[in-house]
Amino acid sequence: MWLRSLKTLPCLEAFTKFSRSPWLLQACYFSDVSYKKTKLAPLQERRMIDRFRLRAKGGDGGNGCCSFRRSRHDRRGRPDGGNGGRGGDVILECSTAVWDLSCLQHHINARRGGNGTPKNMIGSRGADKVVLVPVGTVIHLVEGEIPSSVEKKSSGSLDPWDIPGTLDFDSFDSSQQSPSTSKIGKLEKTDNTSDVSAPSYKPNVKESARTSPVEVFTRFSPSRDKSRTQHEAHDFLKEHRCSDWEDWDGKSNASGSECEEDMEHTELVQYNVAELTEPGQRIIVARGGDGGMGNVRSAKGSKMRKDNDFNVEVSDDDDFASLNIGLPGSEVVFLLELKSIADVGLVGMPNAGKSTLLGALSRAKPTVGHYAFTTLRPNLGNLIYDDISITVADIPGIIRGAHENRGLGHAFLRHIERTKVLAYVVDLAAAIDDKKGIPPWEQLKDLILELESYCEGLSNRPSLVVANKIDEVGTEEVYEELRQRVPGVPIFPVCAVLEEGIPKLKAGLKMLVNGEESSRLKLDGIMTD
Ligand SMILES: Nc1nc2c(ncn2[C@@H]2O[C@H](COP(=O)(O)OP(=O)(O)OP(=O)(O)O)[C@@H](O)[C@H]2O)c(=O)[nH]1
């Protein structure tokens, strides 16, 4: 009302008449509306989400229809209710279009199948929900059934008219849980991993045809699973919730009761259920439920059942009701973890010049700063040398005691777990003159110790040493001493800022990646005081 009265004011009327921008008018009427355009933070400054908890639910099956087709000649009518459609699946697809897990939602539900209709028409199949995840995503299972396989993306679209008429009538029991529901529920902590690889649920013929794995990557590594004790699982979850896993259940500050609830999961986490390492790979994480049967089929089904099981008295109504309702889709809870895949991992202390080096080796433009811990998330760069492409990962700096959560901790080391080659970047100028830094050979020792405390054997891979900041005064002598103290491993003196020594370093990296050279830096190969 008051707006109308305002409009009648002569000045506003004139304004309305001559103004051509509607938002200006709105701003005039509703002055509290903000029209400031928000700017997205640059990619480098955005925090990388590399762990994520996700609950997925397959779509429920549609209900079967109960209908009778009556005619002049058939007063009682014939059943002609169609089956309900199958619910959609939740599918994770590996893609290069996403680089971390920040675009995911914590709850993902596939669409429900359509209900059956008269004239024996089946309901439509529920739409699948395809979620894109980055290359290098590892799936850890918290609750639900383990997805059976990872498959390559099929070129053909899924069958939209998946008829749920493949229920096994002979073995069907109304008290029995549906195939889909039997998959729901908490997994028992099991030592027998073969149980995991052979789920009790046998998909029907259509499903198995559709999901037949082209390339199975599902990894059940018993050694690793066993080595992860309950204590480790506890730490894992605690770390996720309390430190950098803000997105655990979508809340940064979990309340006490929630914490307790989450702790229940600690016994149930199964690690490395599957890995998505190639673009186009897909895995069905939650299956849609089968549709209920229309009265055409259920009449047939109940008759068959009565013939087989004549001692049990079941009323037609009860029987039909149980068959008619669509089955619920399966539900699973996953932890997704991203492990970047790179050929070379740059490892070094803060301020050693890793980001500068990555910029010199590739076209990447990571943030460089003269203070420690400039790099807060792993950066990837692509090095092209002699027509071969090498991916280089720069991870945040690691300090002595990182395994005790000092600095940024060592959780980032997961990003170099899969690298073929390690390049240890040391700062030659850290301890010269009156600087109180760590000498390069000590830096190497600390780095190896931290790598090993994160994961045993992580440092045991082809490696070289990059002696950075050779341009600084007095570093020549330090470099000579480094060569004597660390024999048997190629050391490349470089000045990352001026890009000096970079071509030789590129050649060295290429030889290691190609397997032409296989020197490894070991703790006993470093002579310290
Ligand atoms: N003199 C000299 N300074 C360098 C060289 N390379 C890097 N720097 C400087 O060292 C500082 C740290 O460089 P960064 O590339 O950010 O080091 P970083 O290892 O990525 O550091 P974090 O992000 O903390 O892990 C910056 O001020 C660089 O300018 C070099 O070759 N010579």
Side-chain angles (χ1 to χ4, degrees):
M1 272 301 282
W2 65 270
L3 270 177
R4 270 192 205 159
S5 58
L6 264 178
K7 259 189 173 180
T8 54
L9 287 172
C11 62
L12 261 177
E13 226 171 26
F15 182 70
T16 315
K17 203 172 171 184
F18 292 110
S19 170
R20 295 192 177 204
S21 78
W23 70 264
L24 211 64
L25 277 176
Q26 281 186 12
C28 173
Y29 289 146
F30 311 102
S31 56
D32 56 335
V33 178
S34 164
Y35 287 93
K36 201 180 164 191
K37 282 183 186 170
T38 51
K39 246 188 185 176
L40 272 179
L43 199 60
Q44 170 65 23
E45 285 167 29
R46 264 191 271 156
R47 198 162 165 200
M48 183 189 208
I49 305 291
D50 54 1
R51 279 175 290 186
F52 200 85
R53 184 187 158 107
L54 189 144
R55 179 181 286 272
K57 187 180 180 305
D60 296 341
N63 295 335
C65 171
C66 176
S67 141
F68 292 87
R69 185 166 181 270
R70 294 190 173 85
S71 65
R72 200 184 299 168
H73 310 291
D74 187 3
R75 284 283 169 94
R76 294 187 62 197
R78 284 181 173 191
D80 74 341
N83 297 332
R86 192 173 171 276
D89 299 330
V90 179
I91 300 167
L92 297 188
E93 185 178 322
C94 188
S95 165
T96 48
V98 285
W99 67 281
D100 75 347
L101 304 170
S102 59
C103 50
L104 298 186
Q105 292 174 338
H106 287 282
H107 293 264
I108 295 168
N109 297 331
R111 296 295 287 271
R112 186 180 182 279
N115 293 338
T117 48
K119 295 190 184 170
N120 203 4
M121 306 251 263
I122 57 170
S124 57
R125 192 187 182 282
D128 290 336
K129 191 93 179 174
V130 180
V131 181
L132 296 184
V133 290
V135 180
T137 301
V138 183
I139 301 170
H140 308 297
L141 186 74
V142 177
E143 192 181 314
E145 182 64 53
I146 288 177
S148 53
S149 62
V150 177
E151 62 179 44
K152 277 275 189 190
K153 190 179 177 180
S154 62
S155 52
S157 56
L158 299 178
D159 178 12
W161 300 105
D162 202 355
I163 304 169
T166 46
L167 281 178
D168 188 358
F169 289 123
D170 294 340
S171 58
F172 191 86
D173 182 350
S174 61
S175 64
Q176 185 187 320
Q177 268 192 315
S178 69
S180 306
T181 46
S182 65
K183 292 193 286 175
I184 302 171
K186 289 184 179 178
L187 264 180
E188 300 292 344
K189 191 181 179 188
T190 168
D191 284 342
N192 187 4
T193 46
S194 61
D195 289 349
V196 168
S197 54
S200 55
Y201 170 54
K202 288 190 182 106
N204 62 35
V205 180
K206 285 191 176 183
E207 279 176 349
S208 59
R210 239 183 43 199
T211 60
S212 62
V214 176
E215 197 170 352
V216 178
F217 270 84
T218 311
R219 227 170 32 130
F220 306 105
S221 48
S223 57
R224 181 164 178 130
D225 287 350
K226 278 177 195 166
S227 69
R228 294 253 199 170
T229 58
Q230 188 179 339
H231 178 70
E232 272 182 88
H234 180 275
D235 285 350
F236 180 77
L237 290 167
K238 203 171 137 195
E239 178 201 338
H240 292 171
R241 200 172 37 255
C242 303
S243 60
D244 59 336
W245 198 342
E246 277 192 6
D247 287 294
W248 178 271
D249 262 357
K251 294 156 202 149
S252 50
N253 298 320
S255 65
S257 62
E258 280 167 350
C259 280
E260 278 161 28
E261 256 175 45
D262 288 342
M263 286 305 167
E264 283 176 19
H265 296 306
T266 52
E267 287 176 22
L268 306 167
V269 177
Q270 299 223 0
Y271 292 92
N272 283 17
V273 170
E275 298 185 9
L276 298 167
T277 51
E278 282 176 28
Q281 280 181 331
R282 284 180 155 213
I283 185 166
I284 298 176
V285 289
R287 287 185 189 282
D290 285 328
M293 280 187 289
N295 58 347
V296 176
R297 285 171 189 265
S298 56
K300 213 161 95 186
S302 58
K303 187 171 173 290
M304 284 168 72
R305 202 183 137 226
K306 272 187 203 166
D307 290 347
N308 291 342
D309 204 1
F310 49 83
N311 289 333
V312 184
E313 291 223 347
V314 185
S315 79
D316 273 355
D317 287 349
D318 287 354
D319 215 20
F320 177 70
S322 65
L323 293 171
N324 170 254
I325 296 166
L327 302 177
S330 69
E331 201 170 348
V332 278
V333 181
F334 282 102
L335 308 178
L336 296 181
E337 199 175 49
L338 176 60
K339 290 183 181 178
S340 305
I341 297 173
D343 298 310
V344 180
L346 299 182
V347 190
M349 301 238 153
N351 254 342
K354 300 177 295 298
S355 306
T356 316
L357 185 66
L358 181 72
L361 286 171
S362 68
R363 284 186 179 179
K365 296 273 173 281
T367 311
V368 173
H370 61 277
Y371 49 89
F373 301 117
T374 318
T375 312
L376 295 174
R377 66 167 183 86
N379 295 303
L380 290 182
N382 209 19
L383 149 65
I384 308 231
Y385 186 76
D386 276 358
D387 292 340
I388 71 157
S389 166
I390 299 171
T391 322
V392 184
D394 159 36
I395 61 159
I398 300 156
I399 57 168
R400 192 181 287 173
H403 67 280
E404 290 163 350
N405 226 11
R406 290 211 187 128
L408 292 178
H410 64 180
F412 288 107
L413 288 177
R414 91 172 71 89
H415 292 281
I416 55 158
E417 259 185 63
R418 288 175 174 156
T419 53
K420 286 186 202 159
V421 170
L422 290 178
Y424 295 92
V425 184
V426 290
D427 181 355
L428 287 179
I432 53 171
D433 299 336
D434 53 349
K435 287 187 196 164
K436 290 179 184 165
I438 306 169
W441 43 93
E442 294 282 349
Q443 290 177 34
L444 289 174
K445 195 185 108 193
D446 289 348
L447 288 171
I448 292 180
L449 285 173
E450 290 303 327
L451 294 193
E452 288 298 319
S453 59
Y454 171 74
C455 174
E456 215 179 302
L458 187 59
S459 66
N460 187 19
R461 60 190 72 195
S463 42
L464 54 77
V465 176
V466 183
N468 194 23
K469 305 195 185 178
I470 193 75
D471 57 310
E472 295 234 359
V473 183
T475 48
E476 303 269 313
E477 294 83 53
V478 183
Y479 169 62
E480 285 306 320
E481 194 176 345
L482 177 68
R483 281 185 52 186
Q484 284 164 16
R485 284 178 182 260
V486 188
V489 183
I491 302 176
F492 294 86
V494 299
C495 169
V497 175
L498 302 174
E499 300 195 8
E500 283 174 14
I502 298 298
K504 277 189 185 168
L505 175 61
K506 283 183 180 176
L509 287 172
K510 185 195 151 196
M511 282 174 75
L512 279 181
V513 171
N514 283 352
E516 295 161 34
E517 169 81 53
S518 61
S519 52
R520 282 151 208 254
L521 181 66
K522 292 199 173 142
L523 206 56
D524 48 15
I526 304 170
M527 286 178 248
T528 50
D529 298 328

